[in-house]
Coordinates of all heavy atoms in Angstrom, one line a residue:
I44 N 10.2 9.5 3.6 CA 10.7 8.1 3.5 C 10.4 7.3 4.7 O 9.9 6.2 4.6 CB 12.2 8.1 3.1 CG1 12.4 8.6 1.7 CG2 12.8 6.7 3.3 CD1 13.9 8.8 1.3
V45 N 10.7 7.9 5.9 CA 10.5 7.1 7.1 C 9.1 6.9 7.4 O 8.7 5.7 7.7 CB 11.1 7.9 8.3 CG1 10.7 7.3 9.6 CG2 12.7 7.9 8.2
T46 N 8.2 7.9 7.2 CA 6.8 7.7 7.4 C 6.2 6.7 6.5 O 5.4 5.8 6.9 CB 6.0 9.0 7.2 OG1 6.6 10.0 8.1 CG2 4.6 8.9 7.6
A47 N 6.6 6.7 5.2 CA 6.1 5.8 4.2 C 6.5 4.4 4.5 O 5.6 3.4 4.4 CB 6.6 6.2 2.8
F48 N 7.7 4.2 4.9 CA 8.2 2.8 5.3 C 7.4 2.3 6.5 O 7.0 1.2 6.6 CB 9.7 2.8 5.6 CG 10.5 2.5 4.3 CD1 11.2 3.4 3.7 CD2 10.5 1.2 3.9 CE1 11.9 3.1 2.5 CE2 11.3 0.8 2.7 CZ 12.0 1.8 2.1
A49 N 7.2 3.2 7.5 CA 6.6 2.9 8.8 C 5.1 2.5 8.5 O 4.5 1.7 9.3 CB 6.6 4.0 9.8
D50 N 4.5 3.0 7.4 CA 3.1 2.7 7.1 C 3.0 1.2 6.8 O 2.0 0.6 7.0 CB 2.7 3.5 5.9 CG 1.9 4.7 6.3 OD1 1.4 4.8 7.4 OD2 1.9 5.7 5.5
N51 N 4.1 0.6 6.3 CA 4.1 -0.9 6.1 C 4.5 -1.6 7.4 O 5.5 -2.3 7.5 CB 5.2 -1.2 5.0 CG 4.6 -1.0 3.6 OD1 3.4 -0.8 3.4 ND2 5.5 -1.0 2.6
D52 N 3.7 -1.4 8.4 CA 3.9 -2.0 9.7 C 3.4 -3.4 9.7 O 3.0 -4.0 8.7 CB 3.3 -1.2 10.8 CG 1.8 -1.0 10.7 OD1 1.2 -1.5 9.7 OD2 1.2 -0.4 11.6
A53 N 3.3 -4.0 10.9 CA 2.9 -5.4 11.1 C 1.5 -5.7 10.5 O 1.3 -6.7 9.8 CB 2.9 -5.8 12.6
G54 N 0.6 -4.7 10.7 CA -0.7 -4.9 10.2 C -0.8 -4.8 8.7 O -1.5 -5.5 8.0
G55 N 0.0 -3.8 8.1 CA 0.1 -3.7 6.7 C 0.7 -4.9 6.0 O 0.2 -5.4 5.0
I56 N 1.8 -5.4 6.6 CA 2.4 -6.6 6.0 C 1.4 -7.8 6.0 O 1.3 -8.6 5.1 CB 3.7 -7.0 6.8 CG1 4.7 -5.9 6.5 CG2 4.2 -8.3 6.4 CD1 5.9 -5.9 7.5
A57 N 0.7 -7.9 7.1 CA -0.3 -9.0 7.2 C -1.4 -8.9 6.1 O -1.8 -9.9 5.5 CB -0.9 -9.0 8.6
T58 N -1.8 -7.7 5.9 CA -2.8 -7.4 4.9 C -2.3 -7.8 3.5 O -3.0 -8.4 2.7 CB -3.3 -5.9 4.9 OG1 -3.8 -5.6 6.2 CG2 -4.4 -5.7 3.9
Y59 N -1.1 -7.3 3.1 CA -0.6 -7.6 1.8 C -0.3 -9.1 1.6 O -0.6 -9.6 0.6 CB 0.8 -6.8 1.6 CG 0.7 -5.3 1.8 CD1 1.7 -4.6 2.5 CD2 -0.5 -4.6 1.4 CE1 1.6 -3.2 2.7 CE2 -0.6 -3.2 1.6 CZ 0.5 -2.5 2.2 OH 0.4 -1.2 2.4
A60 N 0.2 -9.7 2.7 CA 0.5 -11.1 2.6 C -0.8 -11.9 2.4 O -0.8 -12.9 1.6 CB 1.2 -11.6 3.8
A61 N -1.8 -11.6 3.1 CA -3.1 -12.2 3.0 C -3.7 -12.0 1.7 O -4.4 -12.9 1.1 CB -4.1 -11.8 4.1
A62 N -3.6 -10.8 1.1 CA -4.1 -10.4 -0.2 C -3.5 -11.3 -1.3 O -4.2 -11.9 -2.2 CB -3.9 -9.0 -0.5
G63 N -2.1 -11.5 -1.2 CA -1.5 -12.3 -2.2 C -1.9 -13.8 -2.1 O -2.1 -14.5 -3.0
A64 N -1.9 -14.3 -0.8 CA -2.3 -15.7 -0.5 C -3.7 -16.0 -1.0 O -4.0 -17.1 -1.5 CB -2.1 -16.0 0.9
K65 N -4.6 -15.1 -0.8 CA -6.0 -15.3 -1.1 C -6.4 -15.1 -2.6 O -7.1 -15.9 -3.2 CB -6.9 -14.4 -0.2 CG -8.4 -14.6 -0.4 CD -8.9 -15.9 0.2 CE -10.5 -15.9 0.1 NZ -11.0 -17.2 0.6
Y66 N -5.8 -14.0 -3.2 CA -6.3 -13.6 -4.5 C -5.1 -13.5 -5.5 O -5.3 -12.9 -6.6 CB -7.0 -12.2 -4.4 CG -8.3 -12.3 -3.6 CD1 -8.4 -11.8 -2.3 CD2 -9.4 -13.0 -4.1 CE1 -9.5 -12.0 -1.6 CE2 -10.6 -13.1 -3.4 CZ -10.6 -12.6 -2.1 OH -11.8 -12.7 -1.4
G67 N -4.0 -14.0 -5.2 CA -2.9 -14.0 -6.2 C -2.4 -12.6 -6.5 O -2.2 -11.8 -5.6
F68 N -2.3 -12.3 -7.8 CA -1.8 -11.0 -8.3 C -3.0 -10.0 -8.5 O -2.7 -8.9 -8.9 CB -1.0 -11.2 -9.6 CG 0.1 -12.2 -9.5 CD1 0.2 -13.2 -10.4 CD2 1.1 -12.1 -8.5 CE1 1.2 -14.1 -10.3 CE2 2.1 -13.0 -8.4 CZ 2.2 -14.0 -9.3
A69 N -4.2 -10.4 -8.2 CA -5.4 -9.6 -8.5 C -5.4 -8.2 -7.9 O -6.0 -7.3 -8.5 CB -6.7 -10.3 -8.2
L70 N -4.7 -8.1 -6.8 CA -4.8 -6.8 -6.0 C -3.5 -5.9 -6.3 O -3.4 -4.9 -5.6 CB -5.0 -7.0 -4.6 CG -6.4 -7.4 -4.2 CD1 -6.5 -8.1 -2.8 CD2 -7.4 -6.2 -4.3
L71 N -2.7 -6.3 -7.2 CA -1.5 -5.5 -7.5 C -1.9 -4.1 -8.0 O -1.2 -3.1 -7.7 CB -0.6 -6.2 -8.5 CG 0.2 -7.4 -7.9 CD1 1.0 -8.1 -9.0 CD2 1.2 -6.9 -6.8
F72 N -2.9 -4.0 -8.9 CA -3.3 -2.8 -9.4 C -3.9 -1.9 -8.3 O -3.7 -0.7 -8.3 CB -4.3 -3.0 -10.6 CG -4.7 -1.7 -11.2 CD1 -3.9 -1.1 -12.2 CD2 -5.9 -1.1 -10.9 CE1 -4.3 0.1 -12.8 CE2 -6.3 0.1 -11.5 CZ -5.5 0.7 -12.4
T73 N -4.7 -2.5 -7.4 CA -5.2 -1.7 -6.3 C -4.1 -1.1 -5.5 O -4.3 0.0 -5.0 CB -6.1 -2.7 -5.4 OG1 -7.1 -3.3 -6.2 CG2 -6.7 -1.9 -4.3
M74 N -3.0 -1.8 -5.3 CA -1.9 -1.3 -4.5 C -1.3 -0.1 -5.2 O -0.9 0.9 -4.6 CB -0.8 -2.4 -4.4 CG 0.3 -2.1 -3.4 SD -0.3 -1.8 -1.7 CE 0.5 -0.3 -1.3
L75 N -1.3 -0.1 -6.5 CA -0.8 1.1 -7.3 C -1.7 2.3 -7.0 O -1.2 3.4 -6.8 CB -0.8 0.8 -8.8 CG -0.1 1.8 -9.7 CD1 1.3 1.9 -9.4 CD2 -0.3 1.4 -11.2
I76 N -3.0 2.1 -7.0 CA -4.0 3.2 -6.7 C -3.7 3.7 -5.3 O -3.8 4.9 -5.0 CB -5.4 2.8 -6.9 CG1 -5.6 2.3 -8.4 CG2 -6.4 3.9 -6.5 CD1 -5.4 3.4 -9.4
S77 N -3.6 2.8 -4.4 CA -3.3 3.1 -3.0 C -2.1 4.0 -2.8 O -2.1 5.0 -2.0 CB -3.2 1.9 -2.2 OG -2.9 2.1 -0.8
T78 N -1.1 3.7 -3.6 CA 0.2 4.5 -3.5 C 0.0 5.9 -4.0 O 0.5 6.9 -3.5 CB 1.3 3.8 -4.3 OG1 1.4 2.5 -3.9 CG2 2.6 4.5 -4.2
V79 N -0.8 6.1 -5.1 CA -1.1 7.5 -5.6 C -1.8 8.3 -4.5 O -1.5 9.4 -4.2 CB -2.0 7.4 -6.8 CG1 -2.5 8.8 -7.3 CG2 -1.2 6.7 -8.0
C80 N -2.8 7.6 -3.8 CA -3.5 8.3 -2.7 C -2.5 8.7 -1.6 O -2.6 9.7 -1.0 CB -4.6 7.4 -2.1 SG -5.9 7.1 -3.2
L81 N -1.5 7.8 -1.3 CA -0.5 8.1 -0.2 C 0.3 9.3 -0.6 O 0.6 10.1 0.3 CB 0.4 6.8 -0.1 CG 1.5 7.0 1.0 CD1 0.9 7.1 2.4 CD2 2.4 5.7 1.0
V82 N 0.7 9.4 -1.9 CA 1.5 10.5 -2.3 C 0.8 11.8 -2.1 O 1.3 12.8 -1.5 CB 1.9 10.4 -3.8 CG1 2.5 11.7 -4.3 CG2 2.9 9.2 -4.0
I83 N -0.5 11.8 -2.4 CA -1.3 13.1 -2.3 C -1.4 13.4 -0.8 O -1.3 14.6 -0.4 CB -2.7 12.9 -2.9 CG1 -2.6 12.7 -4.4 CG2 -3.6 14.0 -2.6 CD1 -3.9 12.3 -5.1
A84 N -1.8 12.5 0.0 CA -1.9 12.7 1.5 C -0.7 13.2 2.1 O -0.6 14.2 2.8 CB -2.5 11.5 2.2
Q85 N 0.4 12.5 1.9 CA 1.7 12.8 2.5 C 2.3 14.2 2.0 O 2.8 14.9 2.8 CB 2.8 11.7 2.3 CG 2.4 10.4 2.8 CD 2.6 10.3 4.3 OE1 2.0 11.0 5.1 NE2 3.3 9.3 4.7
E86 N 2.0 14.4 0.7 CA 2.5 15.7 0.1 C 1.9 16.9 0.8 O 2.5 17.9 1.1 CB 2.3 15.7 -1.4 CG 2.9 16.8 -2.1 CD 2.2 18.1 -2.1 OE1 0.9 18.1 -2.0 OE2 2.8 19.2 -2.1
M87 N 0.5 16.8 1.0 CA -0.2 17.9 1.6 C 0.3 18.2 3.0 O 0.5 19.3 3.5 CB -1.7 17.7 1.5 CG -2.3 18.0 0.2 SD -4.1 18.1 0.2 CE -4.5 16.3 0.5
S88 N 0.4 17.1 3.8 CA 0.9 17.2 5.2 C 2.3 17.8 5.3 O 2.6 18.7 6.1 CB 0.8 15.8 5.9 OG -0.5 15.4 6.1

């Protein structure tokens, strides 16, 4: 939980905020795919 929350750091927040401002809701599905990748990586570690 702590590692996953820390991944949403200042750089991450800036990226998500810019994605919404520039492309609206278009990258919400991409975020879902990204989360699946995060689960796989964190689970193995």
Side-chain angles (χ1 to χ4, degrees):
I44 289 175
V45 169
T46 307
F48 269 105
D50 267 334
N51 280 346
D52 61 355
I56 291 166
T58 301
Y59 305 139
K65 180 75 174 177
Y66 296 105
F68 305 126
L70 286 161
L71 286 176
F72 183 80
T73 303
M74 191 60 230
L75 188 63
I76 300 301
S77 177
T78 305
V79 173
C80 292
L81 179 64
V82 171
I83 294 170
Q85 299 282 56
E86 189 279 329
M87 281 192 290
S88 289

